[in-house]
């Protein structure tokens, strides 16, 4: 997958129609993104839940249409269908969304243990957003674990380790570390330092960005607030990145 020097994403949970005391619900959502290489992605779907007791306790299906436009070229659409499930018990929670695009298994699953030191395991599988990925059917499967580390009343860190296997032979090993300082609780304003590193076992195997290794350090300011039934988020960052065979260069990030 290409490194996104500039990333713009929008996500909207637009409508919920519950009935029978939240036991059933219909929800719609749309996600759109673009990057500096003019790769555009749009996903729009409807969730039909026959059981919806809470936002993290539901059972149902999801029907989705996804459009991919790699490097500003032709747009390719895929129809997808998923079974979706989420529940919780005590300090534990788990969810899964498993389905297909008619060619292979897609989806994600995670399990988390909530505590002061929150722990989570996850796995996801999707298509690569590149010309060969979309045209030839190149997919990835990413599995890993995360640990939240409390550092004080307003400070915390998150550590993530994972492995990403691609169609072919390449396996990418990931390490990520984020430090978060709560600057203004009333505003939902945080200052963050995001770092990541990966190593590819078969670099340059296909048309996705895959050097032998890649590293990034990115300071970020983020605002997250709830207004009525909406959750609003804005984040911007400016830092540095480097990969094997190349010097340090700027890294930019924007998320709305």
């Amino acid at each position: 997958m290409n490194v996104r020097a500039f990333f713009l994403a929008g996500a909207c949970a637009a409508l919920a129609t519950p009935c029978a005391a939240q036991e059933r619900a219909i929800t719609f959502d749309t996600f759109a993104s673009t990057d500096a290489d003019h790769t555009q992605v749009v996903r729009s779907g409807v969730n039909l839940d026959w059981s919806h007791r809470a936002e993290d306790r539901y059972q149902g299906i999801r029907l989705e249409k996804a459009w991919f436009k790699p490097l500003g070229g032709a747009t390719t659409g895929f129809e997808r269908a998923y079974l979706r499930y989420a529940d919780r018990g005590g300090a534990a929670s788990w969810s899964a969304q498993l389905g297909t695009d008619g060619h292979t298994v897609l989806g994600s699953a995670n399990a988390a243990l909530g505590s002061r030191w929150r722990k989570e395991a996850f796995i996801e599988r999707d298509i690569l957003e590149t010309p060969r990925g979309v045209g030839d059917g190149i997919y990835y499967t990413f599995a890993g674990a995360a640990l939240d580390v409390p550092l004080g009343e307003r400070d915390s860190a998150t550590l993530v380790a994972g492995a990403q296997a691609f169609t072919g032979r390449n396996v990418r090993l990931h390490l990520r570390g984020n430090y978060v300082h709560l600057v203004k609780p009333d505003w939902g304003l945080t200052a963050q330092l995001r770092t990541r590193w990966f190593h590819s076992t078969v670099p340059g195997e296909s048309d996705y960005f895959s050097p032998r290794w890649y590293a990034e350090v990115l300071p970020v300011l983020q605002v997250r607030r709830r207004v009525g039934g909406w959750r609003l988020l804005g984040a911007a960052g400016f830092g540095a990145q480097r990969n094997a065979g190349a010097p340090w260069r700027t890294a930019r990030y924007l998320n709305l």
Side-chain angles (χ1 to χ4, degrees):
M1 187 175 292
N2 293 329
V3 170
R4 296 190 172 184
F6 175 81
F7 180 82
L8 173 64
C12 170
L15 175 66
T17 309
C19 54
Q22 295 286 349
E23 281 300 313
R24 293 184 296 275
I26 303 174
T27 59
F28 303 89
D29 59 79
T30 297
F31 171 87
S33 73
T34 186
D35 66 13
D37 295 320
H38 308 292
T39 294
Q40 300 174 18
V41 178
V42 177
R43 295 187 180 94
S44 187
V46 56
N47 304 311
L48 309 172
D49 295 337
W50 55 78
S51 175
H52 193 105
R53 290 172 286 173
E55 289 303 308
D56 56 356
R57 303 188 73 183
Y58 55 77
Q59 298 177 36
I61 62 172
R62 173 178 176 81
L63 304 177
E64 180 182 270
K65 178 75 174 186
W67 296 269
F68 299 93
K69 189 177 182 180
L71 305 180
T75 300
T76 303
F78 294 90
E79 290 77 30
R80 299 169 165 190
Y82 301 90
L83 289 172
R84 63 189 228 120
Y85 171 80
D87 206 348
R88 66 176 186 268
S93 62
W94 51 91
S95 66
Q97 181 169 281
L98 303 176
T100 182
D101 59 358
H103 302 284
T104 187
V105 174
L106 297 177
S108 61
N110 72 79
L113 184 60
S115 64
R116 191 165 179 267
W117 294 65
R118 184 179 183 274
K119 295 166 279 290
E120 181 178 0
F122 60 86
I123 185 170
E124 63 180 26
R125 179 173 170 80
D126 209 333
I127 197 167
L128 281 175
E129 301 161 8
T130 66
R132 286 195 60 191
V134 173
D136 298 341
I138 299 176
Y139 296 84
Y140 70 86
T141 303
F142 184 28
L147 173 67
D148 289 346
V149 182
L151 300 174
E153 197 170 302
R154 293 195 175 190
D155 300 274
S156 64
T158 300
L159 306 175
V160 180
Q164 186 176 20
F166 298 88
T167 301
R169 296 180 298 133
N170 188 29
V171 177
R172 181 179 291 173
L173 305 178
H174 289 260
L175 291 175
R176 298 191 182 193
N178 294 344
Y179 166 76
V180 180
H181 174 69
L182 181 58
V183 178
K184 196 79 171 176
D186 294 345
W187 298 358
L189 175 63
T190 58
Q192 307 179 11
L193 180 63
R194 305 183 182 185
T195 64
R196 63 179 177 132
W197 171 89
F198 70 70
H199 176 272
S200 292
T201 58
V202 185
E205 183 179 55
S206 187
D207 64 342
Y208 57 92
F209 180 76
S210 186
R212 174 68 66 181
W213 59 265
Y214 172 83
E216 180 183 86
V217 180
L218 193 65
V220 174
L221 284 177
Q222 177 176 289
V223 176
R224 183 194 297 268
R225 302 196 64 179
R226 286 190 176 273
V227 179
W230 294 87
R231 183 180 65 182
L232 307 178
L233 180 144
F238 187 86
Q241 60 183 328
R242 187 181 179 186
N243 57 267
W248 285 100
R249 58 196 185 276
T250 60
R252 292 164 290 171
Y253 176 82
L254 179 66
N255 187 7
L256 301 173

